[in-house]
Amino acid sequence: ITDCDWSSDVCSSDLTEKNNTLTTDMMKALVKTIEAKDPYTNGHSIRVAEYSKLIASKVYTDPMALHKIYNIALLHDIGKIGIPDIIINKPGKLTDDEYHTIKEHTLMGEKILSEITSVPELINGAKYHHERYDGKGYPCGIKGDQIPEIAAIIAVADAYDAMTSNRSYRSILPQETVREEIEKGIGTQFHPKWGKFMLELIDEDTSFQFHQ
C-alpha cells in the first residue's frame, strides 16, 4: 500500500498530467471571485485547503496526493458563487428558506466542477463537505465511510476555520472552545479518524497560530 491509496478515486499515476490542466494559481483566482462576495470569509478557502493538507499529512506523505487534497479543498465552496449576496452577507440568523438556499451551494459546486472532466475528483470536496458522519448532513444524507475521504477531511478543516475566523455574527472563538467543539463532534459530525487528527494539530499549535 502506498500513500496514493488515500482515496480509491483520487490518486493515480497520471496525477501530474491531470494537475497541469488546472493550476493552483488558477484555482486561487476562482476562489478570490467567490470570497469577494463576503469580506468575512476572505482567505477561508485557502486556510481550509492548508488545514486539509495538514490533517491528511498525518497519514499520507506522497507530495502529489497531498497537493491533490489541497486543490480539491481549495474549491470546496465554489458553489457559493451562485448564492445571492444578501444571504451570504446576512449578519443574523437565516430563515428556513434562506438556509435551504445556502445549502444548495454543494450541488451548485458539483455542477460547476463537473465541467472539469480531466479532474472529476474535484466534485467530491464541493458536493460532500457538509455531510456528517452520523448521516444528518447534506445534500445526500450519506454517513460513515459512504462519505468520500477527501470530503470527511475537508469537513473538519472547514468547521475548524469557521470557529477560528471572524464572522459577521461573532469573533474568533478561543482555542480551548474550538477544541472542545471538535472533540464533541467526533463520531457524530466528524469522522473519528480525521477528527482526532485535527485535535492533534490543535494540541501541537500551542501558540494558536492556526486561525484567521
Side-chain angles (χ1 to χ4, degrees), residues 10 16 26 34 38 76 78 100 128 183:
V10 173
T16 302
M26 290 171 65
I34 306 162
D38 179 9
H76 75 283
I78 187 72
H100 176 76
Y128 299 114
E183 188 171 30

Side-chain angles (χ1 to χ4, degrees), residues 50 69 73 94 135 150 152 181-182 196 201 207 211:
E50 290 172 348
I69 292 167
L94 299 176
I150 181 60
E181 290 300 313
I182 296 290
K196 288 175 182 176
L201 288 174
S207 57
H211 64 76

Side-chain angles (χ1 to χ4, degrees), residues 11-41:
C11 195
S12 63
S13 60
D14 62 350
L15 263 172
T16 302
E17 181 179 351
K18 286 185 176 181
N19 278 339
N20 286 337
T21 65
L22 187 61
T23 68
T24 300
D25 286 344
M26 290 171 65
M27 291 181 175
K28 286 180 177 178
L30 288 173
V31 165
K32 286 183 179 179
T33 301
I34 306 162
E35 295 187 348
K37 292 167 66 70
D38 179 9
Y40 284 98
T41 61

